[in-house]
Amino acid sequence: MSALAQQWSESLRSATHPQVLPWLDALRLRAVEQLTKHGLPHRKDEDWKYTPLRVLEQLGPAVATGVRVENLTPAPEPELPAALIDSADCVIRIHDGALAGTEGGDQPGVSVLSLSEGLEQHESLLRKHIESVDINGSAQAFASLNTASLDQGLVIHVKEQADAGTVLLRWTLSGTADPSIHNFRVFLLLGEGSRMQLVEQYESADHGGSALNVVSHFDLAREAVVDHLLLQNESENTILMSSTYIEQAQGSRYNYSGFDLGGGLVRHELKTVMAGSGAHAAFGGAFVLDNSRHVDNHISVEHAGTACSSDQFFRGVLGGRSRGVFNGKALIRPGADKSSVRQSNANLLLSPLAQIDTKPELEIYADEVEASHGATVGQLDETAIFYLRSRGLSETEAKRLLVGAFCRSVTDRLENQELAGRIAELIDQAMPSYESRGQVL
Amino acid sequence: MMLEIKNLHATVGGKAILKGLDLTIEAGEIHAIMGPNGAGKSTLGNVISGREGYEVTQGEVLFNGNNLLELEPEERACEGIFLAFQYPVEIPGVNNTYFLRAALNAQRKYRGEPELDSMQFLKLVREKLEILHISDDLLRRSVNEGFSGGEKKRNEIFQMAVLEPSLAILDETDSGLDIDALRLVARGVNRLRSEDRAMIVITHYQRLLDHIVPDRVHVLADGKIVASGDADLALKLEEQGYAWLDRGGIQSLDIDLKA
Ligand SMILES: Nc1ncnc2c1ncn2[C@@H]1O[C@H](COP(=O)(O)OP(=O)(O)O)[C@@H](O)[C@H]1O
Ligand SMILES: [Mg+2]
């Protein structure tokens, strides 16, 4: 494992990058050094305890450099699974960790830029975000790797009071004989009072065991509102590491809903800092897994301003030998009085070999805080299954209905009815095999 | 013969509950089963509908001449067996209408009949709701979730009316119903009465049998049918209770037993 980090470092040391900026060159080098020195996360890293990284060994020694795209030009559509939403105002494709085309995104006050263009127009803001990411230590290896190879990215800038509408990011990976790890960086810069609905779809037509390491930054100025929906429906040999850093000013609202229905090894790290008062952050999601899939949701919410509210709400359904992790942290800093914080994670285990590790953590150092948290692990209700079967539904259908109902508490939270319906359908299709009385049905 | 139960023995959690039960029912008949609490009445309903955990250790159950015991619960439902639960199950998040249409279509598919689309289904459902005085609102809710006791029981009969089973087992459907609800339930049941249907009505009270007059009445005690008679037997049982069971059997009771 540490050999892989050394090989990656080696391949990055000799890389050249299209953007020539002294501070960025220096930072990339420092990140390579960190990666060399500390290697990849291991079991002793508390934050990685439940997510072993052995499957990374399927990856080649080189970090993919992608296709260098300096200017965004529409590329012909390759064969893709159906888009999650048809009515997007802007569709951006990112293939093998490189921009592969955009459509739309030309509303007033909205600019969709490549990383190079973004650095020309918003250098100081991007620099602030890039430098704010912790790249020290093995637990931060994927942030180091992303920074060390930083030259592919997307920047969406939304001016104050502008509405970017719905932006769809379609992430795909191709099948290659020599699978490697691809890196990409996203910046979403939302001016005061601006709005955006971001929909991310991670779903490839077919591919062969490659990996994607994405780091995203959300900068929400005062009163900005972001609805962020993520669907990950990849094949079982796909590795996805995603880290999302959110900075929220006064009165801003960030609303995440993540649905993981596929993938091999998937990790979502989402961190928000609510520095301004009266901000709101919601993290909802469902993971419905079978086979040997592994999905890890690491959420961290920091209340720094007063009267902020946060809500974490995850539902897990685990069949086969799959494994799910929910680690939700909420930190209420001194002075962040009148905060409200909720955490809820409920899970259904459909198979004796499936596993869930759930760990809600709450640290409160302020006054007048309203807090609730809970985590449960259970099984499908046998009485309910019999009731449904006694009316003529097969055991599989009965189970499908019950799992759908269990996850509906998450899809019901979506404001967009079209998306809620589509996601519910996908959850139905993702239904894991169910073991009862020793048989797999 | 629609249903033939011969020398049925069943255990629940290793404990013997049914201990040699015999019962035969012809199409078109309604049989009432009465008996003290814990006698095994619900167990009989569960065994007939195939509930997991109810193990048949001896005897046989034939439905239209076929071995019922080797079928899965959903196959039994598709063959025409319906159990109105003594304690209907609340299923949060599963819509009542969606569930019932899925169930009806699963049964139609099994029988090689075309499935109903939502318009056709709604039309069918409206008629049945009328009979049971159930409001549309109930359809939009989750299965039995937050229903009152009476609403749950009426929902069972409503499901029965939609699914039109050939053998319905009503397990204490009358318990906890006020007199108006009882009349509605009886109306739903009587509408379904026909020459090719049969029903088993498990009850403690005569009052349901005033509305649904049974062809036969059986007393189930300690896992066996200990007495059978016509509708009058139910009246006597209501008057005299079950103390005679300990007193030396049915003969000590002043009734005319017809074999
Ligand atoms: N799931 C179960 N586990 C253990 N014992 C049960 C179970 N279900 C029923 N029993 C027992 O079986 C006996 C008969 O129960 P039941 O058939 O419900 O009686 P009835 O419906 O005639 O009142 C009772 O002693 C009851 O406690
Ligand atoms: Mg009972």
Side-chain angles (χ1 to χ4, degrees):
Chain A
M1 288 302 296
S2 66
L4 189 58
Q6 305 311 320
Q7 290 166 339
W8 285 349
S9 299
E10 220 33 66
S11 87
L12 287 169
R13 248 182 258 281
S14 52
T16 57
H17 306 281
Q19 306 89 357
V20 188
L21 293 165
W23 65 266
L24 185 53
D25 287 335
L27 186 63
R28 288 190 193 109
L29 277 181
R30 199 159 71 72
V32 174
E33 295 319 319
Q34 286 296 320
L35 189 61
T36 313
K37 187 170 158 199
H38 299 289
L40 294 175
H42 38 73
R43 269 176 187 277
K44 287 192 204 108
D45 288 312
E46 183 62 26
D47 276 342
W48 289 89
K49 186 156 101 175
Y50 305 116
T51 297
L53 296 169
R54 280 183 305 274
V55 296
L56 288 179
E57 280 162 15
Q58 75 191 38
L59 298 173
V63 174
T65 45
V67 187
R68 307 285 185 209
V69 180
E70 291 313 304
N71 293 299
L72 300 185
T73 44
E77 282 281 311
E79 249 190 64
L80 284 177
L84 187 57
I85 186 161
D86 298 322
S87 55
D89 301 287
C90 174
V91 181
I92 300 164
R93 286 194 298 107
I94 300 153
H95 184 64
D96 285 345
L99 283 171
T102 70
E103 274 170 63
D106 36 24
Q107 298 102 310
V110 180
S111 37
V112 178
L113 311 166
S114 70
L115 179 64
S116 300
E117 291 166 337
L119 281 168
E120 278 164 26
Q121 297 181 27
H122 307 282
E123 183 178 343
S124 62
L125 189 52
L126 262 50
R127 179 175 179 177
K128 185 193 94 177
H129 284 290
I130 293 168
E131 290 183 342
S132 72
V133 173
D134 181 4
I135 53 168
N136 304 308
S138 56
Q140 315 302 331
F142 292 98
S144 311
L145 173 65
N146 192 286
T147 302
S149 62
L150 180 57
D151 63 11
Q152 297 288 308
L154 166 72
V155 179
I156 302 182
H157 186 271
V158 187
K159 282 216 171 92
E160 57 274 7
Q161 309 304 334
D163 187 347
T166 301
V167 176
L168 173 63
L169 295 192
R170 302 207 59 177
W171 300 87
T172 50
L173 290 164
S174 61
T176 59
D178 179 19
S180 42
I181 189 158
H182 304 271
N183 290 275
F184 199 81
R185 191 67 78 116
V186 177
F187 299 85
L188 298 151
L189 310 170
L190 286 117
E192 267 189 43
S194 67
R195 314 176 69 89
M196 177 191 288
Q197 173 171 243
L198 178 72
V199 179
E200 292 191 79
Q201 181 173 8
Y202 291 83
E203 194 173 23
S204 306
D206 76 312
H207 48 82
S210 47
L212 187 57
N213 179 32
V214 183
V215 174
S216 308
H217 300 271
F218 287 79
D219 188 324
L220 276 68
R222 289 162 74 123
E223 311 290 335
V225 177
V226 172
D227 268 317
H228 182 189
L229 184 135
L230 181 148
L231 167 76
Q232 181 276 118
N233 205 1
E234 282 289 5
S235 66
E236 215 185 330
N237 54 10
T238 298
I239 297 164
L240 171 64
M241 297 287 153
S242 85
S243 311
T244 304
Y245 302 92
I246 307 133
E247 290 186 16
Q248 293 187 248
Q250 187 183 322
S252 63
R253 302 178 70 82
Y254 172 79
N255 193 355
Y256 172 85
S257 308
F259 298 90
D260 283 285
L261 311 178
L265 171 64
V266 177
R267 164 119 163 169
H268 301 289
E269 280 186 31
L270 294 137
K271 294 189 172 142
T272 190
V273 179
M274 293 187 281
S277 61
H280 174 73
F283 296 87
F287 38 99
V288 180
L289 309 174
D290 65 359
N291 303 337
S292 298
R293 302 182 196 278
H294 182 118
V295 169
D296 177 345
N297 276 294
H298 256 72
I299 317 290
S300 152
V301 178
E302 193 178 316
H303 289 239
T306 55
C308 291
S309 56
S310 70
D311 186 5
Q312 299 175 36
F313 189 92
F314 277 78
R315 295 290 175 263
V317 179
L318 300 125
R321 295 166 172 273
S322 67
R323 191 165 174 190
V325 180
F326 170 78
N327 186 185
K329 290 184 192 154
L331 169 65
I332 319 292
R333 289 211 176 272
D337 300 342
K338 299 196 166 71
S339 287
S340 145
V341 52
R342 286 191 290 179
Q343 290 178 312
S344 157
N345 172 230
N347 304 282
L348 284 178
L349 292 179
L350 301 189
S351 135
L353 297 174
Q355 192 178 334
I356 176 76
D357 293 287
T358 174
K359 196 174 160 198
E361 295 175 72
L362 200 49
E363 283 183 63
I364 301 177
Y365 302 103
D367 300 320
E368 291 181 69
V369 173
E370 228 179 81
S372 70
H373 74 156
T376 62
V377 180
Q379 281 156 11
L380 285 177
D381 177 0
E382 289 294 336
T383 313
I385 293 177
F386 174 64
Y387 188 78
L388 297 172
R389 293 178 76 190
S390 78
R391 301 306 187 237
L393 297 178
S394 70
E395 182 162 8
T396 309
E397 274 178 283
K399 178 210 68 171
R400 197 189 297 279
L401 273 185
L402 294 176
V403 169
F406 181 73
C407 294
R408 194 148 307 125
S409 53
V410 184
T411 51
D412 277 353
R413 295 160 60 100
L414 297 176
E415 262 178 45
N416 185 320
Q417 291 302 304
E418 180 193 348
L419 281 172
R422 189 80 191 97
I423 298 277
E425 267 171 41
L426 292 168
I427 288 174
D428 255 13
Q429 290 160 19
M431 196 55 55
S433 54
Y434 173 65
E435 282 177 49
S436 127
R437 288 165 288 149
Q439 325 165 246
V440 180
L441 295 163
Chain B
M1 202 58 66
M2 179 179 272
L3 183 72
E4 283 179 273
I5 301 177
K6 292 179 203 156
N7 191 30
L8 183 65
H9 291 252
T11 61
V12 184
K15 183 177 157 198
I17 307 294
L18 299 183
K19 302 167 181 173
L21 185 141
D22 295 287
L23 182 67
T24 39
I25 300 181
E26 301 251 28
E29 291 180 346
I30 292 193
H31 288 228
I33 295 186
M34 305 180 84
N37 283 327
K41 302 183 296 296
S42 293
T43 300
L44 176 63
N46 284 319
V47 168
I48 293 174
S49 43
R51 185 167 191 158
E52 222 172 281
Y54 290 73
E55 205 190 330
V56 173
T57 51
Q58 217 183 311
E60 61 177 1
V61 180
L62 300 179
F63 184 61
N64 295 324
N66 301 315
N67 180 4
L68 193 63
L69 299 178
E70 65 188 14
L71 301 182
E72 295 294 330
E74 59 270 29
E75 293 172 317
R76 299 181 196 202
C78 292
E79 289 287 338
I81 287 176
F82 180 90
L83 173 66
F85 283 53
Q86 182 175 0
Y87 305 108
V89 185
E90 295 198 15
I91 312 183
V94 174
N95 173 269
N96 220 0
T97 314
Y98 180 89
F99 148 63
L100 194 52
R101 180 156 83 95
L104 178 65
N105 279 336
Q107 295 200 13
R108 291 179 67 94
K109 201 169 156 191
Y110 180 92
R111 295 193 293 261
E113 293 162 13
E115 297 185 22
L116 298 186
D117 63 29
S118 43
M119 292 304 288
Q120 293 166 314
F121 180 72
L122 222 59
K123 189 166 167 284
L124 172 77
V125 156
R126 287 260 145 74
E127 289 167 20
K128 312 291 181 183
L129 286 175
E130 191 73 24
I131 300 170
L132 290 161
H133 288 203
I134 293 178
S135 78
D136 276 25
D137 169 60
L138 218 70
L139 289 177
R140 282 190 285 274
R141 287 156 61 183
S142 293
V143 179
N144 294 323
E145 192 190 24
F147 286 23
S148 70
E151 282 174 333
K152 282 181 185 168
K153 296 298 179 78
R154 262 190 286 168
N155 193 29
E156 294 293 286
I157 299 306
F158 167 62
Q159 291 176 25
M160 179 182 83
V162 171
L163 296 173
E164 302 185 322
S166 50
L167 174 66
I169 305 159
L170 311 188
D171 191 356
E172 295 201 27
T173 303
D174 53 340
S175 298
L177 291 187
D178 62 33
I179 194 70
D180 292 331
L182 189 81
R183 273 205 199 98
L184 289 172
V185 163
R187 186 150 95 128
V189 170
N190 286 327
R191 286 279 175 114
L192 222 61
R193 255 185 126 145
S194 86
E195 283 188 355
D196 38 44
R197 288 214 174 85
M199 292 193 203
I200 297 175
V201 179
I202 298 171
T203 182
H204 285 295
Y205 310 104
Q206 170 60 34
R207 54 180 203 156
L208 178 65
L209 304 180
D210 287 340
H211 300 280
I212 308 169
V213 181
D215 299 291
R216 301 285 293 157
V217 175
H218 309 277
V219 180
L220 202 168
D222 194 25
K224 282 190 280 245
I225 302 287
V226 295
S228 300
D230 60 17
D232 289 342
L233 175 57
L235 277 170
K236 301 272 183 206
L237 290 172
E238 175 134 306
E239 274 166 28
Q240 316 218 4
Y242 298 102
W244 52 268
L245 281 169
D246 302 322
R247 241 183 8 234
I250 197 80
Q251 276 70 27
S252 66
L253 209 58
D254 169 32
I255 51 172
D256 177 23
L257 284 178
K258 292 181 190 128

